[in-house]
């Protein structure tokens, strides 16, 4: 907690802002010159409704995707069994794994709607990020199964029958995956869900691997028996590329990585706030599909507590409107250091600084 401006003897009050500027601010008045202006958040009915709406939209997208990909995978599975195509078998596994990722994500969205409590003070938004780990594991499992089937077919060649059915199943796979991919990506970007966007990109790659199955069927029709297992291996490589992208996205989210441009926007917004003399540290993190910010601003040391508080509130309010999907901002106001006075000296001494 950074030090700032305060007056002694005040209790801690909670502040919530809505977009109609009805402020009920959060004070934390401590001893001496120590004060924290936080949390200034828009946790009003409008914001809660928005969060619930995002969760409902995510859940609806997942179940529709599950139905679409489930039907696609079922058709492909029947044709793969009928024809003996390992390329189509690999594509089916990939589609099935992609469909089943709707289950952990759906559970995560439901958990994310639970309110914070004394143990989980930030709420349950992280469940969505943990679901991303399950998705990565599902992708890894599908790539291993597809690769094994392809290598086994190369070692033990076999004919592929009913090539016309394989071709039709490949086209069905492409169309089904592309439709689901667009739906997931658009929804994920709108509600700020990295896991849902990653899942959509995964489905898009599945669509292109389905087209690869079509090429394999054409090769077999020309008499190239090796075309089917080779395409199966190519699909395995494609799945591995998706795995790398998905794993990187999930890792960054779990490590609280954000787009540096967001930090620049926050810093610029704070500097443009009237009364802010300087900007200190800026911290941003994703919790599920919502952003949280913790920032430090410097204000003139001769301001009253009320005036400094008003600047902090204005800064927070500007951030809420400037940063999409910013759920809340914690703004710390520090007095401008004058005459060599270090207002953080007690903290530096406590931390061994």
């Amino acid at each position: 907690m950074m030090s700032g401006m305060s007056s002694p003897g005040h209790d801690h009050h909670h502040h919530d802002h809505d977009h109609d500027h009805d402020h009920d601010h959060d004070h934390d008045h401590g001893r001496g010159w120590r004060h924290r202006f936080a949390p200034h958040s828009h946790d009003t009915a409008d914001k809660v409704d928005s969060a619930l709406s995002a969760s409902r939209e995510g859940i609806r997208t997942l179940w529709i995707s599950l139905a679409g990909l489930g039907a696609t995978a079922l058709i492909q599975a029947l044709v793969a069994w009928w024809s003996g195509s390992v390329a189509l078998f690999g594509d089916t596994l990939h589609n099935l794994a992609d469909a089943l990722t709707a289950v952990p994500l759906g559970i995560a969205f439901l958990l994310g709607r639970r309110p914070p409590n004394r143990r989980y003070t930030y709420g349950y938004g992280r469940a969505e990020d943990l679901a991303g780990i399950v998705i990565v594991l599902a992708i890894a499992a599908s790539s291993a199964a597809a690769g094994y089937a392809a290598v086994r077919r190369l070692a033990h060649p076999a004919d592929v029958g009913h090539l016309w059915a394989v071709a039709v199943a490949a086209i069905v796979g492409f169309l089904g995956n592309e439709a689901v991919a667009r739906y997931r990506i658009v929804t994920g970007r709108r509600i700020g869900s990295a896991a849902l966007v990653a899942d959509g990109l995964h489905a898009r790659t599945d669509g292109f691997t389905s087209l690869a199955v079509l090429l394999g069927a054409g090769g077999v029709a020309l008499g190239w028996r090796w075309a089917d297992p080779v395409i199966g291996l190519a699909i395995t490589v494609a799945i591995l590329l998706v795995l790398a992208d998905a794993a990187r996205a999930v890792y960054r989210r779990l490590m609280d990585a954000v787009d540096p441009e967001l930090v620049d926007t926050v810093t610029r917004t704070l500097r443009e706030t009237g009364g802010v003399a300087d900007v200190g540290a800026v911290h941003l993190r994703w919790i599920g599909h919502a952003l949280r910010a913790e920032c430090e601003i410097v204000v003139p040391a001769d301001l009253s507590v009320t005036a400094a508080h008003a600047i902090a509130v204005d800064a927070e309010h500007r951030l809420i409107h400037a940063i999409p999907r910013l759920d809340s901002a914690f703004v710390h106001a520090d007095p401008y250091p004058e005459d060599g006075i270090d207002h953080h000296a007690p903290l530096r001494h406590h931390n061994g600084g």
Side-chain angles (χ1 to χ4, degrees):
M1 180 186 300
M2 294 301 299
S3 62
M5 303 182 68
S6 75
S7 60
H10 288 262
D11 295 330
H12 185 83
H13 304 290
H14 183 68
H15 307 282
D16 290 334
H17 304 314
D18 64 17
H19 287 77
D20 294 326
H21 302 268
D22 293 329
H23 303 311
D24 180 20
H25 309 301
D26 182 345
H27 294 281
D28 184 5
H29 296 279
R31 294 185 297 268
W33 283 83
R34 194 171 179 186
H35 177 66
R36 181 184 75 169
F37 294 109
H40 303 304
S41 73
H42 286 217
D43 293 330
T44 61
D46 287 343
K47 179 166 285 293
V48 171
D49 288 344
S50 177
L52 291 177
S53 177
S55 296
R56 283 194 295 267
E57 188 173 2
I59 293 171
R60 181 172 60 251
T61 299
L62 290 172
W63 294 133
I64 292 175
S65 299
L66 175 60
L69 287 179
T72 299
L74 178 60
I75 293 172
Q76 290 187 308
L78 291 174
V79 176
W81 171 78
W82 190 32
S83 65
S85 170
V86 294
L88 185 58
F89 173 71
D91 194 38
T92 301
L93 286 175
H94 200 187
N95 287 332
L96 181 62
D98 195 22
L100 293 178
T101 56
V103 176
L105 264 181
I107 294 173
F109 277 125
L110 288 173
L111 282 175
R113 296 168 64 174
R114 299 179 62 182
N117 54 47
R118 288 173 61 84
R119 183 176 295 277
Y120 297 96
T121 57
Y122 282 96
Y124 293 81
R126 282 292 188 190
E128 187 177 329
D129 302 325
L130 293 176
I133 298 177
V134 178
I135 293 173
V136 168
L137 294 177
I139 298 174
S142 65
S143 67
Y148 174 78
V151 170
R152 184 177 179 183
R153 178 56 60 86
L154 280 174
H156 306 284
D159 293 330
V160 177
H162 309 289
L163 293 177
W164 65 270
V166 173
V168 170
I171 294 173
V172 169
F174 171 75
L175 295 177
N177 277 287
E178 181 59 22
V180 167
R182 291 190 179 190
Y183 188 31
R184 286 180 173 177
I185 292 172
V186 169
T187 302
R189 287 175 177 170
R190 183 164 55 245
I191 68 174
S193 172
L196 192 55
V197 171
D199 221 17
L201 294 173
H202 179 198
R204 173 158 288 168
T205 302
D206 282 356
F208 289 114
T209 58
S210 294
L211 291 181
V213 174
L214 184 61
L215 292 176
V220 172
L222 294 175
W224 303 335
R225 297 182 65 190
W226 48 265
D228 186 64
V230 166
I231 290 298
L233 286 176
I235 289 174
T236 301
V237 173
I239 298 174
L240 289 174
L241 293 176
V242 173
L243 175 63
D245 288 340
R248 180 167 53 249
V250 172
Y251 167 79
R252 287 177 175 174
R253 182 58 64 90
L254 290 173
M255 291 296 294
D256 291 328
V258 296
D259 187 344
E261 291 185 1
L262 285 175
V263 179
D264 294 338
T265 301
V266 169
T267 302
R268 182 172 60 254
T269 301
L270 292 175
R271 289 189 185 281
E272 292 173 352
T273 301
V276 174
D278 199 2
V279 176
V282 172
H283 302 282
L284 295 171
R285 73 191 313 188
W286 284 98
I287 300 179
H289 48 267
L291 269 172
R292 297 180 72 92
E294 296 181 2
C295 315
E296 300 169 6
I297 60 174
V298 178
V299 299
D302 58 352
L303 291 181
S304 67
V305 172
T306 301
H309 180 260
I311 294 173
V313 170
D314 186 30
E316 179 274 338
H317 207 188
R318 288 171 177 265
L319 289 178
I320 291 292
H321 290 284
I323 309 298
R325 297 186 292 276
L326 181 62
D327 181 68
S328 64
F330 294 75
V331 179
H332 304 261
D334 295 326
Y336 193 87
E338 296 178 346
D339 300 326
I341 298 176
D342 184 1
H343 299 287
H344 293 168
L347 292 177
R348 300 186 198 285
H349 177 73
H350 176 76
N351 294 327

